[in-house]
Structure formats: structure tokens, C-alpha cells
Amino acid sequence: MTNSFYISTAISYTNGSPHIGHAYEVIAADVIARFKRLDGYDVFFLTGTDEHGLKVQQKAKEVGVKPKDYVDKVSKEFIELAKYLNCSNNDFIRTTDDRHKKNVHSIWKNLYDKGDIYLDQYSGWYSIRDEAFYSEEELIKSDNDSYLSPNGNPVEWVDEESYFFKLSKYEKKLLELYERNKSFILPNSRMNEIKNFVQSGLKDISISRKNISWGIPVEENNEHSIYVWLDALTNYISALDWCEGSKSFDKYWPADIHLIGKDITRFHAVYWPAFLFSAGLDIPKMIFSHGFLLNKGEKISKSVGNTVDPIDLLDRYGVDQLRFYLLSTTPFGNDGNYSHELITNHSNAFLSNDLGNLSQRCLKMIFSKCDGKMPNKGDLNNIDLSLLDNAYSLYQKSLEFMNDYQIHAYLNSIFDIISSTNKYFSDQKPWELDKKNSNRMNTVLWVTCEILRITSILLQPVIIEGSNKLLDFLNVDLKERSFSNLNSNFALKSGIKIKEPKVIFPKID
Ligand code: ME8
């Protein structure tokens, strides 16, 4: 039986078009999903949009359209973006889907029946931009003496009847969870922040808002809508049709990883497991909170005016180039930077020069000197063997890195081998061997191609089109491109026709 693997991204708010931060998250999740599929897992990869709440309601009002019409339009942009980015998501959930609403009502009923929901009065602050309730101690004072949320967003005073969830009841269970599963929250620094937050004492949280039209109503009391975060978090199980007792829920839940940005760790690592404890459901295996993407060191935000349309970047640099840049430059979990110069230099250095040039030089020689057929492997010397050994051991290394989602380290280890192979190619000078020692020339060309085969198979999760083009040139069968083919049993066979090589990664100006 194949092992299953469930990965999700956060679902994005539909109060504006997608930006590069959204693209970063869905690309990272796609890389992990593709890696796992190539490694033989049955993967369910979910992304989607978070469409209810005051933030979206206000935005729709501002542009003068009905909330549903507005979210239909924006949600489409997110669906299109995932396609443009070559993402392989198996589903796209919208919180306005009927299937989702059913599950939200079900989870509410479960918490209610457990005795964990009660009606009381909420007096405190609310930030519409954060869609979060805050106590006075959590707020910061702005220059003009008004209060701001910890994220620097405006807050308003709320005094209204509200349903509460008994979060305080789950304090001990949460701390036990963090103790039992040390990698429940990665990176570790975020685990420490969350532990400190829970250890300092949990208060019950408000889980409804009164007189808000754009939300899922509480069934037994229509004056209230369900708090947008309880609504949104439930997406992870509604996409599996949890409340219908579905087979896919049994197969994929608990999720292996919820991939989210660092700003929403608390909702995922404290509230979500507490809701699941209350509903008697299993807890996801890991919350990975990645860093933020910064534009020349500045946070990307509409108010700073430095948001970038990811489609523009794709048109300018190419999908493979953008995916590769975003995931190979920054240790996954840290904040990352991007700018025109950074993407251009990185892509030219690693894709056009290292990988592109090596493959062009080698394949062109095979075309001109070996009649376009894979040359004989011949006798391998110690230099060839050691380089090949390093390439074959990349699979094991990649597994270790991807075990805790060190995507950059997995990519760097592959490019280290590509760089060593470039050096090997230059040192061995196969172009000078043609007349002197054609057997040795053949061996050098074969070794280089075999390493290109290994590295291209391993690069498929990130550089989707480029690595598959390279595998096409090498005439590697479509059925032999998974990680189970990363060994010498599937090594390139001499005499096989290769395809005429073309430039795969043109230089960016
Ligand atoms: O938070 N760099 O939606 P959202 C990297 N609806 N990641 C970024 C980023 C940046 N500059 N800006 C945002 C929400 N993100 C909720 C989630 S999940 C049940 C509900 C990330 O549209 C952000 O951290 O504000 C989050 O993971 C995702 O994009 C969606 O953000």
C-alpha cells in the first residue's frame, strides 16, 4: 500500500489580488508535494481562499460590489496564479463552498456538544485587518496615542454578546503536545514563541461576531456569524469531506504539514489543535511557518506600495527561474529577499551558466562527435567513480534535508554536484580527447550525462520544465523519472539516440 501524505497552504484572504508572498507559499508547498510524489507517496495537496469576514465585506463595499461577486473574482485570480506557477494542487477550497459550510456547522456542533462553547459578553479590541481579538496588554501605542494591533494595524473597541470557546481548558493538553512532538512547530524558534505564549496562560476566546452579514451564521442563533478563523481553519478537513465520514478523510487525516507564514502561527499551533482536541479529532503532524518575503529588505504591503504582481515576475523571468530563486536562496523558515538584480544574477549563475552550459557543451559534443548517440561508458577511473558516487548519494541526502523541509539545502547539495561536474568537464577536456583517446572522451561524456540524469530527476520538483526538457534530450523514458530510478540500474544506455539540445535557460538581461 502506498503511503499517503497531506500538505496544505494557508487559504488566502480575498480582499485583494494575490502578491508574491502568496506565490512563495504555494510554490514551496508544490515543491514538497512534487518531491513526495516522486518519492512514491500518494499526495493530497490543498490550497484555497478565505472569503468571509469583515475585511472582505469592507473591501467589497469599498469597490461597490456584492461580497460574493467580489470574492468570485478574486478567488479566480488565486486559482489562475496556482496554474501559472505550475502548481500541482489536487483541490482548491473556497470557504464559500457549500461543502465547506457544512463542515463548519459540524465542527461548531461538536465543540458545542462537548460543552466547550458558551454565550457571554465580549468587551475588548478587534483588528479587522488581522481579523483578531486583542486584549489591551497586547496592543501598542501609535505616535498619535491611539492603539494599534501587534502587527501595527488599527483596532476598534467591541462590546457585544459573543460565543466563547473554552481555550483555557486545553492549556495543559497543548503543552503536552509540544513536549511529545518536538517537531510539531518548525522552525524551533517558533515552537519556543508558542510554548511561551501558552505557558503564560490561555484565556477563552471569542468565536462569533454579532450583526455581521458576510459570514457563516451560527445555526441556533442567526444574529451571530462564526468567527472567520474558526471558519477558515476548518477548510483543512472540509476539503476531505470530514463531516460526510469520507474515505479521503480516513486516508489523509491527520495532515502531515500545514505550511503557513509566521504571522499566523498562533492560530494554527494553538487554536486549531485546541478545536480539534475538543472535536475529538487527530492533530496535524506539523505546522511549518515560513518566513516573509521582503522587497529589498522591506515588508511587502499595500500601504508601503511595494506589492508586486507575481504574474509580471513570471512573464519577466520564467516559472522555473522564479521557483528556483525563491526556494534556493533563503534557508526555508527565514525571511527572504528579492529584487530584480538578485533574481537575474542567481538565475544566470546557476541555471544558465552551471546547469545550462554544462548540458549544452556535453550534449552538443555527443551530437557532433558521437553521431547523436549515447557514447560507451568504458572503463571508469577513480575520479569518475567518486563523482558518480557523490551523485548517486544525492537522493539519500535530499531525503534527509527534506525530512525537515530544508528545501534550500536540498537544492544546494544538487548544485554542488553540478558545479563539481562542470569542473570535471573542464579538467578532463573531452574536446581534446577526440583524436588522442576517443574511449576516454566517451567515458567523460557518459559520466557527465549520467550526472545530468540524476540531478535533473532530483530537480523536477522545483525546475519542472527545464529538468524535464533535459531528461527529454537524454531520451530518458517518462516512466523512469521518479526517485526509484536514481540508481545505477537505470543508468543511461550506450547507443541510445539523444535529442538535439536547445538552450534551456536563456540568460536574463
Ligand atoms: O493569513 N511573504 O491570509 P493572507 C511570505 N486567510 N508569505 C506571506 C507574505 C509575504 N510577504 N504575506 C503573506 C491569511 N504571506 C488567512 C489564513 S489559514 C486557515 C487562513 C502568507 O492572505 C501568510 O503568512 O493574509 C499566509 O500564510 C498566506 O500568505 C496567506 O495570507
Side-chain angles (χ1 to χ4, degrees), residues 10-13 19 21-22 24-25 50 55 229 232-233 235-236 259-264 268 290-293 300:
I11 48 171
S12 309
Y13 284 125
H19 59 64
H22 295 122
Y24 178 58
E25 186 170 300
D50 184 358
K55 178 151 130 164
W229 268 101
L233 288 162
N235 90 87
Y236 301 126
L259 185 64
I260 54 158
K262 62 180 181 178
D263 56 327
I264 54 173
H268 284 80
H290 61 74
F292 265 53
L293 206 54
I300 301 159

Side-chain angles (χ1 to χ4, degrees), residues 391-441:
Y392 288 130
S393 67
L394 271 178
Y395 169 53
Q396 201 47 42
K397 266 196 188 166
S398 302
L399 284 186
E400 282 159 27
F401 287 132
M402 288 300 275
N403 218 8
D404 44 6
Y405 306 113
Q406 295 183 59
I407 305 179
H408 67 291
Y410 133 70
L411 288 173
N412 291 345
S413 67
I414 299 171
F415 273 84
D416 280 350
I417 300 286
I418 293 172
S419 158
S420 311
T421 313
N422 258 307
K423 183 167 180 319
Y424 164 85
F425 200 83
S426 305
D427 290 350
Q428 299 291 321
K429 302 190 173 61
W431 56 91
E432 286 181 6
L433 293 169
D434 182 21
K435 300 264 154 20
K436 289 192 291 203
N437 185 349
S438 62
N439 283 344
R440 182 65 199 150
M441 175 192 80

Side-chain angles (χ1 to χ4, degrees), residues 94 99 213 232 235 239 243 304 306 340 457 463 505:
R94 301 182 54 189
R99 60 173 174 156
S213 56
N235 90 87
C243 70
V304 180
N306 61 354
H340 172 67
I457 289 179
I463 305 166
F505 306 107

Side-chain angles (χ1 to χ4, degrees), residues 8-200:
S8 64
T9 64
I11 48 171
S12 309
Y13 284 125
T14 45
N15 66 320
S17 296
H19 59 64
I20 184 75
H22 295 122
Y24 178 58
E25 186 170 300
V26 76
I27 291 174
D30 185 59
V31 168
I32 297 170
R34 285 178 185 270
F35 187 96
K36 285 286 179 182
R37 282 195 201 102
L38 286 165
D39 203 26
Y41 285 78
D42 172 349
V43 173
F44 182 69
F45 166 24
L46 177 71
T47 188
T49 39
D50 184 358
E51 307 187 4
H52 291 125
L54 269 172
K55 178 151 130 164
V56 174
Q57 184 181 321
Q58 280 189 348
K59 182 69 196 190
K61 194 170 174 203
E62 200 181 299
V63 295
V65 292
K66 291 202 183 101
K68 183 65 168 69
D69 293 339
Y70 187 71
V71 297
D72 281 349
K73 178 182 156 285
V74 177
S75 177
K76 238 186 224 142
E77 292 178 29
F78 278 94
I79 293 172
E80 284 305 308
L81 177 70
K83 282 190 195 141
Y84 271 122
L85 293 169
N86 250 341
C87 289
S88 59
N89 49 301
N90 301 87
D91 197 352
F92 189 98
I93 184 109
R94 301 182 54 189
T95 55
T96 48
D97 289 346
D98 283 340
R99 60 173 174 156
H100 173 71
K101 291 181 193 162
K102 266 197 269 182
N103 280 275
V104 174
H105 282 138
S106 249
I107 199 162
W108 178 280
K109 187 168 181 320
N110 271 255
L111 311 192
Y112 195 86
D113 290 349
K114 186 74 180 276
D116 285 342
I117 292 182
Y118 61 93
L119 193 60
D120 203 340
Q121 187 75 14
Y122 177 77
S123 304
W125 298 93
Y126 192 80
S127 159
I128 297 178
R129 263 195 222 161
D130 300 347
E131 293 285 16
F133 297 92
Y134 292 110
S135 64
E136 191 133 334
E137 307 88 72
E138 289 178 286
L139 301 181
I140 43 178
K141 269 233 162 101
S142 74
D143 295 342
N144 62 6
D145 260 8
S146 63
Y147 284 118
L148 293 176
S149 81
N151 298 329
N153 290 323
V155 288
E156 59 180 33
W157 181 254
V158 174
D159 195 354
E160 66 186 22
E161 185 187 66
S162 176
Y163 284 96
F164 282 79
F165 171 72
K166 290 186 185 166
L167 184 66
S168 56
K169 180 173 155 188
Y170 293 98
E171 193 176 304
K172 194 156 158 263
K173 259 191 123 159
L174 286 166
L175 291 171
E176 281 164 7
L177 164 70
Y178 308 147
E179 222 30 65
R180 195 171 57 243
N181 179 358
K182 300 267 188 250
S183 54
F184 178 63
I185 308 166
L186 284 184
N188 286 328
S189 55
R190 308 245 152 80
M191 169 68 111
N192 295 335
E193 281 166 27
I194 290 294
K195 260 193 198 164
N196 289 341
F197 170 71
V198 176
Q199 271 160 352
S200 68

Side-chain angles (χ1 to χ4, degrees), residues 373-378 439 441-444 446 494-495:
K373 290 192 186 128
M374 188 56 61
N376 274 332
K377 173 175 165 186
N439 283 344
M441 175 192 80
N442 286 342
T443 299
V444 172
W446 183 88
S494 306

